[in-house]
Structure formats: structure tokens, C-alpha cells
Amino acid sequence: MGACTPATGGFGALLRGLRTAAGLSQEELAHASGVSVRALSDMERGQSRGPQRRTVQALAAALGLDAAGCRELEYTASLGRPRRALKNDVPPPGAAESAVAQARVPDLLPRAPRGFHGRAVELVALSRAAAGEAPVCLVVGPAGVGKTAIVLHWAHHGSVDFPDGRLYADLRGFGDTGAPALMEVLREFLHALGVPHGRMPESANRAAALFRSLAADRRLLVVLDNARDSEQVRPLLPGGRRCVTVVTSRHRLPGLIVTDNAKPVAVDVLAPEDGIMLLAEVLGTERVCEEPVAARRLAELCGGLPLALRVAAARLAQRPGWSLGAMAAELSDETRRLSLLDVEDTGVRAALRVTLQQLPRQVFRQFASLGRHPGTHVDRYAAAALADTDPSTAEASLERLAVAHLVTETASGRWTMHDLVRLYARSLDAGPDGLKRVLDHYIATGLAAVAAAEPGNEECFPLPADHLPPAAVRKFDDRPAAVAWYAAERDDLTLAVAAAHAAGLHDRTWRIVLTLWPLIVWRVRDGWVPLLETALEAARGDADQHGEPRVLNVLGWVLIEEGRIEEALTHLGAASALASRAGDAVAEANALIVLGVAQAALGSLDEAAEGCERAVELARKADDRTIERLALQHLARHRADAGKWRQALDTATEALAFDDRSGTADVPRVLLLMVKGEALLGLGYEAEGIDQLESAAREAETSGYDDGAVRALGVLLRVSADGGLPARYDAAVARLTTRT
């Protein structure tokens, strides 16, 4: 007898739920209450919807219900009992209206949004998420991105059908007025479903149970807008298998995904074209089409955020004589942009402010500190430096900010902010020294990268006197890890240099640039001159005798590679003189080496070789094996270019014997292998020469040293019959010329 059809709603669903919660079978409840098993089965299957009061009282006593539980059970039973008509079947005043109200399909949805445009992808995703049995759809995205508009447009105009009604509640999870009480929302839902105010359950738990039972056999849409967290949503989920619940939130609400199998639908900013169309909806197509460039610029300055676009459009609508170009010009001023995107109590700042109010103090502090970051992306180390904390704490805060859609993880361990969110963060008080701390983080990390990329080289420089050491510095296991960091951080390092220079932190400016020298040498034709000129200006402003000649050396090297030999000679001559006056043998040796490259480019190979010989002497005096090896490498090149093959071979062999760097594929090793190969060819040892050049090419290709690969493969093409060489050469050239 226990295997009955599950209840579908009303009194039967409530009774079966109470019996199950009490751990009783139908037979046990029947025995305890004196009600027959068959009668119980009929009640639970909905065939007997309105049992008499004494039956209900007996069941309540057998179930051990308290007074509130008894009242709820009796009330639910009374809804299913037939009503006796008044004398002469004349309804009492207002009864007809009440019957109509109860029969009316509830619809609590706000009006459909006006000026809605685009969002085809999100609407399709929402329709797919709403398919299936009792789905919970979780529409998430940052403040002002248009989550509510998408859901309301979908609910009003989509191809979905909810014949039993549409319920809506604004949970105000991110509002200044505070969230509504659970009972307040449940009363509104129950009243919409036909429950009179006088018969509302007294407790939120009972009201939620009644809501679930009334929704159980209906096809309802329930929209729970602006939810703060999963706990706020769960009591409001309907119990029916045919109901669809759509939740919107600025938070990801992973708890709902775990416990209720919620299907997330992410909402991002609008593409520029859709942003322009939104402007046209408010301002009119003609006005927008008159200034297409300005319209696109407005969409870009608003960052594709619908809230920002609507505020900008509202300002323009109030001033019909004002051009879109004038508005774009005003928004271009970052110091005014956020204030221009506020109208009364609506705008980007207001939306972000209430989002941040939900965050713990430590997370808020991390958010404010991100506004001091000069670049566009942070990792946990940079975030820790900004907030003066440790990387683990910073990462936890970043993840919390990502849940709130205040930052976005664009790659594993790298976060970024929307432009308007970043401007808001900059307006907050983050305490002193945030910029200096993150600059010193980049210096410390850059030195660690140099040590991994070029082991054995001298330290680039001493740290600034007021250096603020970070709590932890990223470790690099090898050259590829260091090069990968350089590649990922290059743009942000460039922005950090600009920020340091603008702030007058000259001692940080040139140091950050010098930590990039392994990447500069590795990708020497990547347009480094402006950055190095900034570093040179800073080193001179800092009056640092150690930094200036080193910056001049690197700048001279890059200028030579760009074919600007005369400029290079000027800088390298100054570098040599500065280093000599300061008694800096290493810097002087470096300057002579690079100066020799410039002299060789002008055809003065003997002069270049003499300079390198002097550099070898200086390196030996300073006991710097790395600089000595570098000087020998260039000396070997000059001798090979002069056709002095035996001397070139001996010098290259000597330099290669300094230490075994096979497998490391550093730049000097690749270039030494090339010189050795060319010298062997010049001496008539063709097979051995080709082998050395092939080794140089392979090591360059494997390590990503495209410039070296092009040089080695170019020589091989002239002397080898290998049919695969042209394709390898073309691929290396393509990589070199298309790399950014």
C-alpha cells in the first residue's frame, strides 16, 4: 500500500511531505490517526483534496504537529473543500471579484525593457538553460551589464510559455535599501497564487512549504532578481517539476550550482556595434548616423556597459544641440568620466558602490589597491605588493572579487578590470606607497627572471635605498619560465615604466627597463628605443653612475640592430667614458663590446677586434667570466668577418669551453656555434661546419630565438643541400616579422 502515486500539489503534497518528514509509512500513520490507509492514499494522490476538520485534527495529532503546523494543515485542507452558497445562491458583496482574482493567472513581471537591442547569444543561452525538468537558470554578470533587461525581455518576448503565471521579486541584494524579508516575498507570491491575506501562514518555513505545494502542479516562471547569495534564493525555489526559476546576480552563486544544479548564463559587455545601436534606440538613428566615428568612440569609452551607455544617451537626449563628438571629448577625460556617467542616483559609481558594500574589509582594501596598478593585468604577486599583503591572501581576495564580477580572470592566475571599474578603484583611498610597492615588486621579479634567463651574469644594479621588498617573489625554474613571464608582462612592465617616470620615481624607472635586457637581446628588433630613451632620461635624472652607462650600452645595441649606427656610436662612446671615469670595468667592457659591433658595421673590423681584446682584459681584471666569454664571442665574430678563420675558430672554441651550456640555448652560445661553423667552412671542413650551423639553428628554433634561427639558416641555405631548409628559414622569418 505504500507504493502510491506521488502527490502533485495542495493538501496531498503537504500531507505526504509531513508524513515522510516524520518517518512514517501510510500504514503507520493510518494506525496512529484512525484514518484508513485507502483514505490516506486518496488524499496524498489528490483524489480527496478537502478532508473534514476532525480528520485533519487526527492527522495533525498523529504527526505531532505544533499549533502553527496544525493551522497550516487545516488551512490547506479548507482550500479544497466545496464552499456553500449563501441563501438563494446570491454571492456576498465582492465574492465575484474575489473569484475572478483567484482565477486570474498571476503576472508580477515588471514591464519589458525599452530600447533593448542585441544579446542574441545570451537569449539563446537562457532558453537552453530553461529547458528540462525544474531548471534553475543563473544569469550572472557585473553591475550595469543588463542582466535584468535580458531576463525581462526573454520572459516577455521569448518563445516560452508559462500558462500558470509569472512571479517576480527584486531581492535587492545590492541595493542601499536592504533586502526584503523572506516572508515579505513569500506573502506576495502566495497572494498572487490566490491565498487571501487573512489565511497566510505565520512562519516563513510554513509559507515556503505552502508556496512549494501550490506551485507543484503548475507551470510557473519565477524570476528572482538581484540575489545576494544562494541562501537568499533557496527558500523561494518552487517545488514543481514544470516550473522555471531565473536568478540574476552580480555574484556567481556557486552554491546554487552545487545544491540545485543551477545552469549559469554569463552576461558580458556589449560589442561596439550593439553599443551604437543602443545609443540609436535612445537618440534616434539619424542623430547617431550623422556622427558614426563619435558614436563608436562613445561606445568604447563606456566600455560596452549598457548602464553607462544609457546614462550617456540620457545626457545627450536632454541636450539635442550637443554633438556626440563633444560628449566623447568630455568622457575622454578620465578624471571626469565617472561623474559624467551618473544621472541623479543612477550610474556606474552608484552601481559599483553597492556591490562593494557587500565585500569584507580586506577584499575591499584589495580592490581599492588595484586602482594604483599602472597596467591592465595583475597576478597574485603584484596584487599582494599593491595591498601590502602576501600572495595567498591576495589571491583569495582576487577570487572573491571575480565572484562579484569586479575583476575577470583572463588566463590562469592573471586578472584584469573593466576600464570603468578601474577608474572607480582609482577614486578610492588605498593608502600610501601603493605605486612604489608594485614597482619594487617588478624590480625584484625582474631580477629573478634575469637570474634564470641569464645565469652567471652580474647583477643588473643595486636596489634603491628605500626599496620596499615584497612579501614573496615569484620563482623561475629555468629560462623558458622566465621568458614566458617576460612575454606575458611586457605591456604591463612598459606601463609601469611610464607610471614611474610620470611620478618622478627615476630610480625605479631605469631599473625596471634594465631588468628587461634578456628579452631585449632576445627580441632586439621589437621597437625598444622609446623605452630605453625613457630609461636613459631617468638614469640621468637619478644621477646614477652605475645605471647610465648600462642603459647607454643596451640602447646602443638596439640602435645598431635598427641600422642607426651614428646614433649608436654617440651613445656607446659616452657609455665607455662614463664607465671609465667611474672605474666600472664591467660597464666599460660592455661598452667596448657593443662599440665594436658598431665599428664592424662601418667596416672597421680591426678597430672592433681591438676594442674586444681590451674588453677581454677588463673582464679578466674584474674576474667576470660572463663578460669575458661575451667579449670572446664578439672577437670571434669580427675575426670571422675579416676572413681570419683559424683565429676565429680558436676564439670561438675557447669561449664555448668556458662552461657547458648545451641545452640552455642562450644567445651567446647560439652565436658562438654559428661563428665556429662558418670558420670550419672557411677552413674547408664543410661537413663539420654544417653540423655546427645545424646545431646553432636547432637550438635557436627550439628556444624561440628567431633572430638567431634566421641567421644560422641563412648561412646553411648557401652551403647545404638539405631540402627542408627553405621551409624552416621562411617559417623563422615569418615568426620574426609578425611577432609583436
Side-chain angles (χ1 to χ4, degrees), residues 182 283 348 505 592 729:
L182 172 61
L283 301 173
V348 177
L505 296 171
L592 290 170
Y729 178 81

Side-chain angles (χ1 to χ4, degrees), residues 484-679:
W485 179 81
Y486 278 129
E489 296 289 344
R490 176 177 172 178
D491 290 343
D492 283 317
L493 288 167
T494 302
L495 291 169
V497 169
H501 193 52
L505 296 171
H506 302 308
D507 53 350
R508 270 76 177 175
T509 304
W510 66 263
R511 282 177 167 88
I512 294 175
V513 175
L514 276 188
T515 64
L516 285 163
W517 76 261
L519 184 65
I520 294 173
V521 173
W522 200 257
R523 299 180 173 180
V524 71
R525 296 190 181 93
D526 272 9
W528 297 103
V529 169
L531 191 68
L532 287 162
E533 288 176 339
T534 299
L536 179 59
E537 183 181 342
R540 287 172 174 167
D542 196 28
D544 192 287
Q545 292 182 327
H546 183 94
E548 186 177 350
R550 282 163 173 75
V551 174
L552 285 166
N553 281 339
V554 181
L555 177 56
W557 173 265
V558 172
L559 288 169
I560 292 167
E561 291 295 323
E562 292 188 359
R564 297 158 66 176
I565 308 300
E566 295 299 331
E567 293 176 69
L569 286 170
T570 300
H571 290 308
L572 293 167
S576 178
L578 280 169
S580 179
R581 286 198 300 270
D584 190 339
V586 172
E588 186 179 357
N590 250 322
L592 290 170
I593 291 168
V594 184
L595 185 60
V597 176
Q599 291 164 340
L602 295 174
S604 302
L605 292 172
D606 290 340
E607 190 178 1
E610 289 173 7
C612 286
E613 289 169 349
R614 171 63 179 154
V616 171
E617 293 174 5
L618 288 167
R620 287 172 178 167
K621 184 183 298 185
D623 195 24
D624 192 316
R625 298 278 285 174
T626 301
I627 295 298
E628 182 183 354
R629 176 175 178 260
L630 185 65
L632 288 170
Q633 170 215 314
H634 283 275
L635 179 58
R637 166 50 60 193
H638 299 322
R639 287 173 171 169
D641 289 344
K644 299 176 181 179
W645 303 119
R646 175 53 62 184
Q647 289 178 293
L649 178 60
D650 292 344
T651 305
T653 303
E654 180 184 358
L656 285 167
F658 266 46
D659 51 6
D660 181 13
R661 291 196 172 201
S662 57
T664 62
D666 62 319
V667 172
R669 174 179 165 78
V670 170
L671 297 176
L672 281 166
L673 288 171
M674 288 173 56
V675 172
K676 188 175 180 181
E678 292 175 48

Side-chain angles (χ1 to χ4, degrees), residues 706-723:
D706 297 321
D707 188 57
V710 168
R711 295 185 188 190
L713 290 167
V715 178
L716 280 170
L717 279 172
R718 296 196 296 270
V719 297
S720 173
D722 185 346

Side-chain angles (χ1 to χ4, degrees), residues 136-151:
V136 178
C137 309
L138 184 55
V139 180
V140 294
V145 81
K147 301 178 292 295
T148 301
I150 290 171
V151 171

Side-chain angles (χ1 to χ4, degrees), residues 143-144 250 302 305-309 311 337-343 345-355 418-421 423-424:
R250 298 179 190 181
C302 291
L305 200 66
L307 175 60
L309 285 161
V311 171
R337 190 177 305 165
L338 284 176
S339 63
L340 290 169
L341 293 176
D342 282 340
V343 173
D345 60 346
T346 299
V348 177
R349 288 189 299 191
L352 291 171
R353 185 181 67 253
V354 295
T355 301
H418 187 281
D419 287 346
L420 296 178
V421 177
L423 286 178
Y424 185 75

Side-chain angles (χ1 to χ4, degrees), residues 375-438:
T376 59
H377 290 77
V378 296
D379 60 13
R380 65 194 191 111
Y381 294 95
L386 285 161
D388 196 17
T389 186
D390 61 271
S392 295
T393 301
E395 186 172 30
S397 294
L398 287 168
E399 289 174 350
R400 183 69 181 269
L401 291 170
V403 167
H405 290 94
L406 291 167
V407 300
T408 302
E409 191 172 12
T410 56
S412 179
R414 285 176 62 78
W415 289 266
T416 190
M417 297 172 112
H418 187 281
D419 287 346
L420 296 178
V421 177
R422 183 179 293 107
L423 286 178
Y424 185 75
R426 288 178 187 169
S427 72
L428 303 175
D429 181 13
D433 294 332
L435 176 61
K436 189 179 288 187
R437 282 196 302 270
V438 77

